[in-house]
Amino acid sequence: MIKNLRYIDEEVYQKEKSLFINESWILAAHKNELVNNNDFVAFEYFDNKIFIQNFNGTIKSFQNVCLHRFNTIHEESFGNRVSSCLYHNWKYGKKGNVVGLMCRNSFERDQINELKLKEYEVAECGDFIFLKLNKDFNQTLKEYLGNIYQPLEEISRHFGTKTIDYSIEHKVNWKLLVENVLECYHCTAVHENSFAKMGFGSAAPEKFDFFNAHSWCEFPKADGVKANKIIEKSLTDRTFKTQGYLHFHIYPNAFVSSVEGKGFYLGFMLPESPSKTNLRVRYFSSKFERELNESEQNIIDFINNSSNESLDLVLNEDKKIIENIQSNLVNFKDHSPIFGEEEFRILKYYEFLNSKEELK
């Protein structure tokens, strides 16, 4: 189905890069990250430096490079500040135009007035913010997501505040990251002392759906797993409740998941080479039907910290395995991985990728 060469070959990687840039909407942020004026999120995607920012209530996205001497505008991955370059303090407004600079009279007025940052079109699915890098790609976001749009929109409404935002470097091809999260066949072995202890991995999923390369799936919780009564009571009034582990893959770059609505993970793949991918990790607390008092909030903070630690453990357990796999592929270039029925989301995913003429 897919030769191991496609995980290590530079030519294949460049074809994938072109496809993802030209024919995709990119899930880039959640509205809760951009609540206040001048809140921003920045990232680098296939050598494109990008930022998304709240300009007095309007969400806009631009290339994250100053047009004066080409310094990076926002050096941090998120924060709150005006969109100004730290080299010479050139400041940009919501149209991408220069709205402030030192010694303005030393520059030709017409030249400055004509400057505009490259802008990327922004669209929303619920509280998720997407952008597209190719202005000529003519699918609307709703068309692009198809029947995944509605469930993704629904889950987006239940995100609370962001509790973590960091990146983990993986010395792997991006496809190994995708394959790893599209099945829980590995959960009882790899996550024996983490995810499996929560009751996931031993039962086959019964709820799932697909659209092109997008998919969602709910992995059921095994019977007999004892719930923590304090945690259950503290989370009773959360606005989103599901019985299992709910997982979305939004092609080409994003993962959204939740364990019983007790918190929400947003993973964002940032490929750098055929054998290097950064995974940006964000976690959001639950949203509640009422305002919590101080004592209740302290318990929720404790739960969020525990969830963050558990997530980090699971991600690093996966990282160790898939980095081992990547290191072995050079000696098995003409071989192919074997996917069984438990890995049906992977099979469906490659059915889509293998249909793309650009990758043939």
Side-chain angles (χ1 to χ4, degrees), residues 205-314:
E206 298 176 354
K207 301 176 183 178
F208 50 85
D209 202 0
F210 302 90
F211 183 78
N212 290 335
H214 314 301
S215 66
W216 71 263
C217 182
E218 184 171 342
F219 297 92
K221 190 173 185 177
D223 295 333
V225 178
K226 292 183 178 180
N228 184 307
K229 292 181 179 179
I230 295 176
I231 291 177
E232 291 299 321
K233 183 178 179 181
S234 301
L235 291 167
T236 298
D237 292 327
R238 66 190 185 277
T239 61
F240 183 77
K241 299 174 184 176
T242 182
Q243 297 302 309
Y245 169 58
L246 183 60
H247 183 274
F248 290 79
H249 171 230
I250 306 304
Y251 171 83
N253 70 303
F255 315 121
V256 179
S257 65
S258 179
V259 175
E260 301 176 299
K262 295 175 179 177
F264 301 89
Y265 164 63
L266 175 58
F268 186 14
M269 285 194 310
L270 302 166
E272 290 192 11
S273 76
S275 58
K276 182 180 176 182
T277 308
N278 285 319
L279 178 66
R280 184 164 176 179
V281 178
R282 284 174 272 190
Y283 192 81
F284 297 78
S285 64
S286 299
K287 184 184 287 187
F288 292 87
E289 295 172 352
R290 59 179 178 83
E291 187 173 348
L292 304 180
N293 60 41
E294 184 177 355
S295 176
E296 291 170 328
Q297 187 59 57
N298 288 337
I299 295 174
I300 296 303
D301 290 342
F302 174 79
I303 293 171
N304 287 335
N305 288 334
S306 298
S307 297
N308 294 342
E309 291 173 3
S310 296
L311 174 63
D312 190 66
L313 175 61
V314 169

Side-chain angles (χ1 to χ4, degrees), residues 159-178:
F159 280 46
T161 57
K162 184 169 69 174
T163 60
I164 55 171
D165 188 335
Y166 65 95
S167 293
I168 305 176
E169 180 183 294
H170 289 67
K171 295 177 181 178
V172 302
N173 184 271
W174 64 270
K175 291 187 287 295
L176 291 180
L177 276 167
V178 174

Side-chain angles (χ1 to χ4, degrees), residues 25 124-125 130 139-150 152-153 210-212 214 250-251:
W25 282 91
E124 298 172 5
C125 173
F130 286 75
Q139 271 193 335
T140 66
L141 178 58
K142 202 161 190 176
E143 291 170 338
Y144 180 74
L145 293 174
N147 49 275
I148 304 296
Y149 184 97
Q150 189 277 326
L152 189 66
E153 178 184 39
F210 302 90
F211 183 78
N212 290 335
H214 314 301
I250 306 304
Y251 171 83

Side-chain angles (χ1 to χ4, degrees), residues 114-127:
E114 290 174 2
L115 290 176
K116 280 192 177 182
L117 297 174
K118 182 178 181 179
E119 184 171 358
Y120 303 106
E121 183 179 343
V122 170
E124 298 172 5
C125 173
D127 288 340

Side-chain angles (χ1 to χ4, degrees), residues 51 55 60 62 67 73 83-84 90-101 104 111-119:
F51 74 92
F55 291 90
K60 303 292 285 288
F62 298 102
L67 298 175
I73 296 170
S83 51
S84 62
W90 280 41
K91 178 182 175 183
Y92 295 88
K94 68 178 181 180
K95 296 181 180 180
N97 57 316
V98 181
V99 295
L101 72 160
R104 187 171 190 124
Q111 184 182 30
I112 299 301
N113 290 342
E114 290 174 2
L115 290 176
K116 280 192 177 182
L117 297 174
K118 182 178 181 179
E119 184 171 358

Side-chain angles (χ1 to χ4, degrees), residues 30 125-128 151-159 287:
H30 189 276
C125 173
D127 288 340
F128 287 126
L152 189 66
E153 178 184 39
E154 168 63 19
I155 197 173
S156 78
R157 304 294 192 192
H158 301 281
F159 280 46
K287 184 184 287 187

Side-chain angles (χ1 to χ4, degrees), residues 3 35 64 76 81 87 120 176 201 282 295 317 327:
K3 295 289 186 184
V35 173
N64 192 22
E76 302 297 325
R81 59 183 291 271
Y87 195 11
Y120 303 106
L176 291 180
R282 284 174 272 190
S295 176
E317 287 171 339
S327 69

